[in-house]
C-alpha cells in the first residue's frame, strides 16, 4: 500500500513532465496561420486527460458500472479523448468552423475546464448530512399516485393514449401538442406531469423488491425497466435516456465488471443509435422501409452525418470557435438561464447565449439551444470564469455522487433521484446553461418531490 502511495505521485509527475515537454514543443513550432499544429494540439487534450486522472485519485472510476462519477468521466472521455481522436482520424466535420486556422485557444479552454473540474471534484467541501434516510415511506402508495399523475398528464398533453403511443416519439406531434396548449397553464402542468409516470414504475419496482425475501432475477428487473421506458417516449432524446440511466444506476449497484473497457465500447455503440434517433424523430410516422432508407443515409460515408453529429453533441473544440470571434461580447449568462422560463423568458431570448451563438453560425431559422458552456463562460468572463465555473461544477457533481453512493443500498428511489439530477446537471458539460434550466423546469419535479418526501419523513421521525 505504501509503495502504491509513493508510486502514484511519481507517476503523475512523469506524465505532467511529458505534457510540459509536448507543450513546449508545440509553442516552439506553432504558428496560427502557417503552422497551426492542429494534430499536436488535439493530442495535448488526450495527454491532459491522462495527466489529470493520474493526479487525482478521487477520479478513479467506481467498481459498479453505473454511477454519477462514471457518467461524468465518460462525458469527459468523449470531450478529451474520443472526439479529438476522431478528428485526428477523419477530420473536422463541424461546417461552421471551416475558416478557423488554429484551435490553440479552444484546446486551452477545454483543458482548463477539465483541470478545474477535477480540482473542484477532488476538494469538494459539500458532504451529505450524517442523518441516514432509511427505506422510502409507502412506496406502493406513492408509486400509484405518480402513475395516475403521469397517465392523466399524457392524456391532457397528447389528447389520448393512442396519440402518445403513435406520436410522442416524433417532433411534429410534440410541436403540435405544445402549439395546441400554448399559453395554457394546464398544458404546462401536463408537460411537467407526464414525467411522473416513469418514477411511478420505479417506486412500484422498489415496493415489489422490498416485499420479496429473495434477490430479484434479471428478468424481473427487465420487466420493470421496459415498463418504465414506455412512459418516457419523447422527441427529446435526453427525456428518454436520462431516466433510464437513473433506473439502471440503482438496478446495477451490485454489478462490478472486471473489464469495464468493454462497456465503454458498448456505450459508444449506444451513442451511435441515439444519434440515429435524430433522423427518426423528424419523420411524421414510423415506417419500416423509411427506417431502412434513413439508416443507409445515416451510415453513408459521403454524407458524413455520423462524424458531424458526434462532434457536435459530444463536444468538439471547434464548437467554441464562433464564440471566440465576438468583439465586445454582451453578458449572456442570466438571459441564458431565464430563456426557457414560460412567459418570463420571452423577454430574454434575444439576449441569451443560444441566440447569439445561432446568429454567429447563421442558424436563425431553428434555434438550437446547444451551446458549449465553457465557451459561454469564456465569452462572459474569460479564462477566470471558465476556471471558477468548472470548479463549482466539479463541487456540485461530487456532492450529487456522494448522495447517490450514500443511499444506493438503503433507499434506491432516493439514490435514483440524485442520479437523475446528476444527469440533468450534465447539461453544464454536454449541452448548455439554457438546456439545464429547461431540464430543471420541466423534468426535475418528480425526482425533487421524492427527495422532499424523504426529507419530510426524516424530519417527522425526529419530531416523534
Amino acid at each position: 500500500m505504501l509503495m502504491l502511495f509513493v508510486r502514484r505521485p511519481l507517476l503523475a509527475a512523469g506524465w505532467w513532465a511529458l505534457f510540459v515537454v509536448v507543450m513546449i514543443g508545440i509553442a516552439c513550432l506553432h504558428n496560427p496561420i502557417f503552422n497551426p499544429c492542429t494534430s499536436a494540439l488535439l493530442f495535448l487534450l488526450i495527454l491532459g486527460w491522462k495527466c489529470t486522472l493520474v493526479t487525482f485519485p478521487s477520479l478513479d472510476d467506481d467498481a459498479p458500472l453505473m454511477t454519477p462519477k462514471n457518467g461524468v468521466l465518460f462525458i469527459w472521455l468523449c470531450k478529451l479523448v474520443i472526439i479529438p481522436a476522431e478528428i485526428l482520424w477523419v477530420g473536422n466535420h463541424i461546417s461552421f468552423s471551416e475558416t478557423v486556422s488554429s484551435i490553440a485557444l479552444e484546446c486551452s479552454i477545454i483543458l482548463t475546464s477539465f483541470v478545474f473540474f477535477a480540482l473542484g471534484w477532488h476538494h469538494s467541501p459539500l458532504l451529505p448530512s450524517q442523518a441516514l434516510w432509511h427505506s422510502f415511506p409507502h412506496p406502493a402508495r406513492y408509486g400509484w399516485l405518480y402513475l395516475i399523475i403521469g397517465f392523466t398528464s399524457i392524456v391532457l398533453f397528447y389528447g389520448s393514449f393512442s396519440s402518445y403511443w403513435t406520436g410522442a416519439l416524433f417532433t411534429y406531434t410534440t410541436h403540435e401538442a405544445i402549439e395546441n396548449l400554448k399559453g395554457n397553464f394546464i398544458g404546462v402542468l401536463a408537460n411537467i406531469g407526464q414525467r411522473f409516470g416513469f418514477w411511478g414504475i420505479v417506486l412500484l419496482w422498489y415496493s415489489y423488491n422490498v416485499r420479496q425475501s429473495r434477490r430479484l432475477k434479471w428478468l424481473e428487473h427487465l420487466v420493470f425497466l421496459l415498463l418504465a421506458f414506455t412512459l418516457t417516449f419523447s422527441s427529446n432524446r435526453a427525456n428518454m435516456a436520462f431516466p433510464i440511466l437513473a433506473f439502471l444506476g440503482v438496478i446495477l449497484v451490485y454489478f462490478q465488471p472486471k473489464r469495464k473497457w468493454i462497456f465503454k465500447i458498448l456505450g459508444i455503440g449506444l451513442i451511435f443509435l441515439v444519434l440515429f434517433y435524430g433522423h427518426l424523430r423528424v419523420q411524421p410516422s414510423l415506417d419500416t422501409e423509411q427506417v431502412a432508407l434513413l439508416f443507409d443515409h445515416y451510415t453513408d460515408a459521403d454524407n458524413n452525418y455520423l462524424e458531424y453529429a458526434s462532434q457536435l453533441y459530444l463536444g468538439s473544440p471547434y464548437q467554441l470557435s464562433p464564440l471566440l470571434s465576438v468583439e465586445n461580447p454582451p453578458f449572456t449568462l442570466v438571459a441564458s438561464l431565464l430563456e426557457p422560463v414560460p412567459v418570463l423568458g420571452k423577454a430574454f431570448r434575444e439576449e441569451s447565449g443560444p441566440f447569439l451563438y445561432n446568429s454567429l453560425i447563421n442558424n436563425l431559422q431553428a434555434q438550437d439551444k446547444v451551446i458549449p458552456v465553457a465557451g459561454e463562460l469564456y465569452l462572459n468572463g474569460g479564462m477566470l470564469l471558465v476556471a471558477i465555473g468548472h470548479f463549482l461544477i466539479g463541487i456540485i457533481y461530487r456532492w450529487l455522487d456522494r448522495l447517490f453512493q450514500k443511499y444506493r443500498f438503503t433507499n434506491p428511489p432516493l439514490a435514483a433521484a440524485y442520479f437523475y439530477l446528476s444527469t440533468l446537471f450534465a447539461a453544464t458539460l454536454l449541452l448548455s446553461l439554457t438546456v439545464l434550466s429547461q431540464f430543471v423546469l420541466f423534468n426535475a419535479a418528480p425526482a425533487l418531490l421524492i427527495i422532499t418526501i424523504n426529507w419530510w419523513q426524516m424530519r417527522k421521525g425526529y419530531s416523534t
Side-chain angles (χ1 to χ4, degrees):
M1 183 63 71
L2 180 61
M3 286 299 294
L4 289 174
F5 178 77
V6 172
R7 285 172 57 192
R8 182 149 191 161
L10 292 176
L11 185 63
W15 277 104
W16 281 111
L18 176 61
F19 180 88
V20 171
V21 169
V22 172
M23 191 166 62
I24 291 173
I26 293 173
C28 294
L29 299 174
H30 175 73
N31 183 293
I33 298 175
F34 300 106
N35 188 31
C37 294
T38 302
S39 296
L41 289 166
L42 292 170
F43 174 74
L44 202 63
L45 292 179
I46 300 172
L47 191 58
W49 156 266
K50 180 62 178 179
C51 293
T52 306
L53 287 189
V54 173
T55 303
F56 298 103
S58 61
L59 280 173
D60 291 346
D61 59 351
D62 291 325
L65 187 63
M66 300 288 296
T67 65
K69 181 201 283 190
N70 286 351
V72 75
L73 286 176
F74 188 74
I75 291 173
W76 283 114
L77 178 71
C78 291
K79 293 170 72 70
L80 284 105
V81 178
I82 294 174
I83 294 304
E86 180 185 300
I87 295 173
L88 288 171
W89 183 25
V90 300
N92 168 39
H93 287 276
I94 297 185
S95 58
F96 53 73
S97 57
E98 287 176 349
T99 59
V100 177
S101 59
S102 171
I103 56 167
L105 181 55
E106 289 87 335
C107 289
S108 298
I109 292 172
I110 292 176
L111 274 177
T112 299
S113 65
F114 180 51
V115 170
F116 277 88
F117 170 87
L119 284 167
W121 175 282
H122 191 70
H123 298 288
S124 176
L126 299 180
L127 297 170
S129 66
Q130 295 298 317
L132 184 62
W133 299 349
H134 293 286
S135 59
F136 190 91
H138 313 296
R141 185 186 306 173
Y142 283 110
W144 286 113
L145 177 61
Y146 267 51
L147 274 179
I148 291 170
I149 295 172
F151 287 159
T152 304
S153 299
I154 286 172
V155 172
L156 288 173
F157 192 76
Y158 292 99
S160 66
F161 278 111
S162 61
S163 298
Y164 169 76
W165 296 121
T166 58
L169 293 172
F170 304 109
T171 302
Y172 295 120
T173 303
T174 303
H175 285 176
E176 183 180 351
I178 292 173
E179 198 63 32
N180 291 337
L181 296 169
K182 193 172 183 180
N184 188 332
F185 183 66
I186 298 297
V188 175
L189 291 180
N191 193 10
I192 296 171
Q194 63 178 307
R195 323 291 177 202
F196 279 75
F198 165 85
W199 289 96
I201 299 295
V202 173
L203 290 170
L204 291 176
W205 162 82
Y206 175 64
S207 175
Y208 177 76
N209 199 0
V210 168
R211 291 201 307 267
Q212 303 303 308
S213 58
R214 56 177 174 80
R215 188 171 172 178
L216 295 187
K217 298 178 180 179
W218 279 108
L219 182 59
E220 293 171 291
H221 289 300
L222 183 61
V223 168
F224 280 101
L225 188 65
L226 291 175
L227 285 173
F229 178 70
T230 60
L231 294 175
T232 65
F233 288 174
S234 172
S235 61
N236 186 320
R237 287 167 281 201
N239 287 345
M240 291 191 289
F242 289 176
I244 294 301
L245 290 175
F247 199 0
L248 283 173
V250 292
I251 289 176
L252 298 177
V253 290
Y254 299 102
F255 185 55
Q256 301 181 8
K258 294 181 180 179
R259 296 177 179 84
K260 202 164 285 184
W261 61 270
I262 297 175
F263 293 92
K264 291 177 182 178
I265 294 175
L266 288 174
I268 296 170
L270 288 174
I271 290 174
F272 175 83
L273 294 177
V274 169
L275 292 176
F276 174 60
Y277 177 63
H279 268 44
L280 289 180
R281 65 179 179 175
V282 297
Q283 304 305 306
S285 61
L286 195 62
D287 180 86
T288 52
E289 293 183 4
Q290 185 69 14
V291 169
L293 291 173
L294 287 171
F295 191 78
D296 290 339
H297 181 268
Y298 175 63
T299 55
D300 189 345
D302 294 333
N303 293 323
N304 296 319
Y305 177 80
L306 182 58
E307 292 87 349
Y308 164 77
S310 60
Q311 292 175 24
L312 179 67
Y313 289 106
L314 299 183
S316 165
Y318 287 100
Q319 277 183 291
L320 280 67
S321 302
L323 292 170
L324 305 185
S325 65
V326 180
E327 297 181 4
N328 301 317
F331 188 80
T332 65
L333 296 182
V334 174
S336 293
L337 287 169
L338 291 177
E339 179 184 332
V341 180
V343 183
L344 177 64
K346 188 174 182 180
F348 293 91
R349 283 171 193 166
E350 294 189 4
E351 303 170 17
S352 68
F355 183 88
L356 175 65
Y357 192 69
N358 282 275
S359 64
L360 290 169
I361 62 176
N362 299 317
N363 186 36
L364 290 177
Q365 293 182 350
Q367 284 290 302
D368 194 338
K369 293 182 173 61
V370 176
I371 164 178
V373 169
E376 187 167 9
L377 291 176
Y378 183 85
L379 182 76
N380 286 272
M383 205 67 86
L384 177 62
L385 191 56
V386 172
I388 294 172
H390 284 82
F391 186 83
L392 294 174
I393 290 171
I395 288 175
I396 296 171
Y397 239 118
R398 183 74 184 277
W399 177 59
L400 292 171
D401 180 70
R402 282 169 168 164
L403 288 165
F404 170 81
Q405 298 289 356
K406 179 177 180 180
Y407 297 113
R408 62 192 177 119
F409 293 114
T410 59
N411 195 330
L414 183 59
Y418 284 122
F419 192 113
Y420 183 66
L421 293 181
S422 77
T423 61
L424 298 186
F425 190 62
T428 55
L429 299 177
L430 270 179
L431 301 171
S432 70
L433 293 174
T434 300
V435 174
L436 171 64
S437 181
Q438 181 175 297
F439 282 160
V440 170
L441 284 170
F442 294 102
N443 295 48
L448 292 174
L449 185 57
I450 285 176
I451 295 170
T452 302
I453 292 168
N454 277 272
W455 175 84
W456 178 79
Q457 188 70 16
M458 180 191 71
R459 300 301 300 176
K460 181 180 176 183
Y462 282 169
S463 64
T464 55

